[in-house]
Amino acid sequence: PNHWAKPEGNVQEVVFTPIGNDATRSAALISGELDFILDPPPRDVARLRSTAGVKIIDGPENRIVFIGMDQFRDELINSNVKGKNPFKDVRVRRALYQAVDIETMKTKLMSGQSYPSGGMTPSPKAYFNDPKIEARLPFDVAAAKKLMAEAGYPNGFEVQLDCPNNRYIQDEEICIALAAMWAQIGVKVKVVAIPRVTYFPKLEKFETSMYMLGWGGAVTDAETTLTPVLRNLGAGGIGSYNYGRSTNPKFDDLAARSSVEADPAKRKELILAALTEWKEQVHTIPLHRQVIPWAARSNVTAVHRADNYLIWDWVTIGK
């Protein structure tokens, strides 16, 4: 009671109750055993929204969701294309990007709960809100078909898309929707959706041709994406999450220099140049920044934070 920071809520005691099983955790909230869940199971969110005595607290998360592609192997492990890797051709990567109807995905699949982006960082602040980087490539199926033909795949090809089914909001559903969109340009996608406990070890072994990944956290600076996620795979954690193993010397040089540049103005130029190069080469296909749900009893009020961090001093429990 004598703490210097006056709490804005009325919580005096917090009891943490770890419940690993998704169904059990949701049931505990519904029954009233729990007052709040920071990480409601994505598959249960729709049901929780319509459950009496429970509410969902939505807010934009500092996280970008994107599709990565194997740009390392000379032949994909999950494709009918033999002797070459179609993802090494920027025209194919761009075609896939331009075949994504992101607005329909936002309105129909995400129920408006997403922020489409052409950027590859959790927050646009990472690239100083530059509109050129934030802007997406235009949705254009005709242009995508033309690119596929130019790349030598007028009839498309077959490939497997690996996705988690319990990590991101509507993750499996997004992958299924993408498969339908890419079918319009002849790319026949087999969606394999598995739990995150087996999904991420698979990516860490690079046992994928095409995959979904989300990246975020509390920090908005570009460094936390450039070095671990986008740079060429190297020692000391560099490129550790570049599961597509793309290699771009120009981008890598710009990103590496931005990591050690002390002058803010020069560093800004390097970051913008690096992310522009990445975008032009379409090493990944950005989708959107997701809205993250928290779940609570209807008498609980909490302040949603973009870094998905709960401040107990800001929680109020009513009668």
Side-chain angles (χ1 to χ4, degrees), residues 91-140:
R91 293 171 296 186
V92 172
R93 303 195 298 268
R94 183 179 292 270
L96 291 168
Y97 188 150
Q98 293 203 250
V100 175
D101 186 352
I102 199 69
E103 289 302 322
T104 294
M105 185 180 293
K106 175 182 178 179
T107 57
K108 302 295 185 182
L109 182 58
M110 305 302 291
S111 300
Q113 300 291 288
S114 66
Y115 295 86
S117 174
M120 269 300 299
T121 56
S123 168
K125 292 180 180 179
Y127 42 79
F128 316 96
N129 298 301
D130 187 285
K132 293 181 181 178
I133 294 178
E134 180 65 11
R136 290 183 58 80
L137 293 178
F139 168 55
D140 191 331

Side-chain angles (χ1 to χ4, degrees):
N2 298 319
H3 192 266
W4 63 270
K6 183 179 179 180
E8 297 182 22
N10 63 0
V11 173
Q12 297 298 305
E13 180 183 42
V14 179
V15 178
F16 291 88
T17 308
I19 302 177
N21 182 272
D22 285 350
T24 305
R25 193 161 67 254
S26 294
L29 178 69
I30 293 171
S31 69
E33 178 186 346
L34 300 179
D35 294 302
F36 181 91
I37 296 178
L38 184 68
D39 56 343
R43 289 189 168 189
D44 288 352
V45 171
R47 178 168 64 93
L48 292 173
R49 285 190 195 277
S50 59
T51 299
V54 174
K55 67 180 179 183
I56 296 295
I57 304 171
D58 289 309
E61 188 183 20
N62 196 43
R63 184 179 304 277
I64 187 74
V65 177
F66 64 92
I67 299 298
M69 297 153 284
D70 178 356
Q71 293 152 66
F72 176 78
R73 289 182 174 87
D74 291 328
E75 181 181 302
L76 295 176
I77 57 174
N78 303 120
S79 174
N80 66 336
V81 178
K82 304 304 177 184
K84 59 180 178 178
N85 179 348
F87 292 147
K88 286 191 174 187
D89 193 321
V90 66
R91 293 171 296 186
V92 172
R93 303 195 298 268
R94 183 179 292 270
L96 291 168
Y97 188 150
Q98 293 203 250
V100 175
D101 186 352
I102 199 69
E103 289 302 322
T104 294
M105 185 180 293
K106 175 182 178 179
T107 57
K108 302 295 185 182
L109 182 58
M110 305 302 291
S111 300
Q113 300 291 288
S114 66
Y115 295 86
S117 174
M120 269 300 299
T121 56
S123 168
K125 292 180 180 179
Y127 42 79
F128 316 96
N129 298 301
D130 187 285
K132 293 181 181 178
I133 294 178
E134 180 65 11
R136 290 183 58 80
L137 293 178
F139 168 55
D140 191 331
V141 174
K145 288 181 177 179
K146 184 173 184 293
L147 285 166
M148 289 290 290
E150 291 175 356
Y153 304 97
N155 299 314
F157 55 85
E158 297 175 13
V159 70
Q160 179 172 304
L161 171 59
D162 296 309
C163 292
N165 60 14
N166 62 351
R167 176 61 184 95
Y168 310 113
I169 308 304
Q170 297 284 68
D171 42 17
E172 182 177 1
E173 292 78 5
I174 289 172
C175 289
I176 292 172
L178 287 172
M181 293 174 186
W182 289 332
Q184 297 182 71
I185 60 172
V187 180
K188 302 174 182 65
V189 177
K190 176 184 177 182
V191 175
V192 175
I194 57 178
R196 59 185 174 184
V197 67
T198 52
Y199 178 70
F200 289 105
K202 181 178 184 178
L203 295 191
E204 288 165 5
K205 296 175 185 177
F206 304 110
E207 295 175 351
T208 183
S209 294
M210 201 176 196
Y211 60 93
M212 169 186 278
L213 189 63
W215 194 256
V219 181
T220 58
D221 191 85
E223 173 61 22
T224 56
T225 301
L226 290 176
T227 293
V229 185
L230 307 185
R231 283 190 59 189
N232 302 348
L233 185 63
I238 296 174
S240 294
Y241 299 90
N242 180 355
Y243 297 129
R245 291 184 288 179
S246 61
T247 301
N248 184 324
K250 179 180 179 180
F251 164 82
D252 204 64
D253 175 65
L254 291 165
R257 287 161 57 196
S258 76
S259 298
V260 296
E261 178 55 63
D263 182 88
K266 292 180 180 178
R267 182 167 185 264
K268 177 179 178 179
E269 291 180 4
L270 289 168
I271 289 172
L272 291 176
L275 290 174
T276 298
E277 172 65 16
W278 184 273
K279 181 172 183 175
E280 289 178 350
Q281 295 304 314
V282 200
H283 290 301
T284 48
I285 302 172
L287 298 175
H288 56 241
R289 298 187 178 93
Q290 67 181 15
V291 172
I292 196 73
W294 292 351
R297 297 294 300 176
S298 56
N299 64 332
V300 175
T301 302
V303 179
H304 197 289
R305 287 170 54 112
D307 59 1
N308 204 24
Y309 189 84
L310 182 68
I311 301 296
W312 290 108
D313 287 351
W314 299 348
V315 175
T316 299
I317 300 181
K319 295 181 179 180

